Amino acid sequence: TRDEYVERAGQIATALAEEATPYANGSGWTSTELAAAGAVIWYSETLLDRRIQAGEQHPVWNQDHGLARCGMQLHSSGLVPQDVWEKLVGHGSDSTHLCAQYGLRVIVAQAKQCGVFSGVRADRNRIAKTFASYASGGKCVPNDRDWQRADLWLKMMAKRPDHEKKTLPGYRRVGP
């Protein structure tokens, strides 16, 4: 139902906001920029469908032929150990937070790999490169889908009261 969807979206938003805070340590993007990036991926990959987060069979999507788990579509890797990967599914707060935590860990790692995380605020170009790397496992060359997702990220950020704040050289805001 619509009420369940709204409740699910609220749980995801809360998990992303809470789990983004440790990564906004003054060396990279703000917690708001990270949480918004996570929300775009979660929405774009699953439309917030509860069945995917629960690890259930979906009638259309196959979760990368069984290799991906949770709303962030995470694969077992060096960033997501197998034992954690196995715990990513479920409707509860714990699995939602775990999915957010490890999904954001992968976002930060991909942004760093593309050289777009440290010392500057996120923007459309940096986010698109990160989304490209997230989807491809390391290629920082955005395609049309990545640019569309970056535009969705921009729309989300434009709703924030702090989206106009500029980054000063050598200074990183730790807060949202």
Side-chain angles (χ1 to χ4, degrees), residues 3-69:
D3 290 340
E4 292 171 335
Y5 183 85
V6 169
E7 180 182 345
R8 180 86 190 120
Q11 290 173 348
I12 293 166
T14 299
L16 286 166
E18 290 174 0
E19 298 299 337
T21 302
Y23 297 105
N25 59 11
S27 66
W29 301 343
T30 66
S31 59
T32 303
E33 292 164 345
L34 285 168
V40 167
I41 289 173
W42 204 309
Y43 175 78
S44 299
E45 292 289 328
T46 68
L47 299 178
L48 310 184
D49 192 299
R50 64 165 188 77
R51 294 171 288 193
I52 294 172
Q53 178 62 33
E56 299 170 5
Q57 183 72 29
H58 192 278
V60 178
W61 302 312
N62 62 26
Q63 291 89 11
D64 295 342
H65 305 287
L67 298 175
R69 290 246 169 132

Side-chain angles (χ1 to χ4, degrees), residues 74 77 79-80 101-111 130 134:
L74 298 171
S77 67
L79 294 170
V80 184
Q101 177 188 355
Y102 279 87
L104 291 168
R105 176 185 285 192
V106 173
I107 289 172
V108 169
Q110 297 301 333
T130 301
Y134 190 96

Side-chain angles (χ1 to χ4, degrees), residues 8-172:
R8 180 86 190 120
Q11 290 173 348
I12 293 166
T14 299
L16 286 166
E18 290 174 0
E19 298 299 337
T21 302
Y23 297 105
N25 59 11
S27 66
W29 301 343
T30 66
S31 59
T32 303
E33 292 164 345
L34 285 168
V40 167
I41 289 173
W42 204 309
Y43 175 78
S44 299
E45 292 289 328
T46 68
L47 299 178
L48 310 184
D49 192 299
R50 64 165 188 77
R51 294 171 288 193
I52 294 172
Q53 178 62 33
E56 299 170 5
Q57 183 72 29
H58 192 278
V60 178
W61 302 312
N62 62 26
Q63 291 89 11
D64 295 342
H65 305 287
L67 298 175
R69 290 246 169 132
C70 83
M72 297 289 285
Q73 294 294 278
L74 298 171
H75 291 231
S76 178
S77 67
L79 294 170
V80 184
Q82 182 70 29
D83 61 324
V84 171
W85 183 81
E86 292 171 2
K87 297 175 188 173
L88 290 173
V89 295
H91 288 298
S93 175
D94 289 347
S95 59
T96 301
H97 276 265
L98 199 61
C99 181
Q101 177 188 355
Y102 279 87
L104 291 168
R105 176 185 285 192
V106 173
I107 289 172
V108 169
Q110 297 301 333
K112 286 180 177 179
Q113 179 174 320
C114 294
V116 297
F117 184 76
S118 298
V120 291
R121 289 196 63 176
D123 62 16
R124 182 177 185 260
N125 185 50
R126 292 179 183 101
I127 287 291
K129 286 180 179 180
T130 301
F131 288 163
S133 184
Y134 190 96
S136 68
K139 296 178 184 160
C140 304
V141 180
N143 61 26
D144 290 343
R145 180 191 65 186
D146 302 316
W147 288 113
Q148 290 171 347
R149 289 178 179 188
D151 289 340
L152 178 57
W153 178 86
L154 275 177
K155 287 179 187 176
M156 292 176 75
M157 291 303 296
K159 294 177 183 179
R160 295 283 307 167
D162 63 345
H163 82 282
E164 292 288 332
K165 291 184 180 174
K166 304 292 183 209
T167 299
L168 301 174
Y171 173 75
R172 290 294 303 139

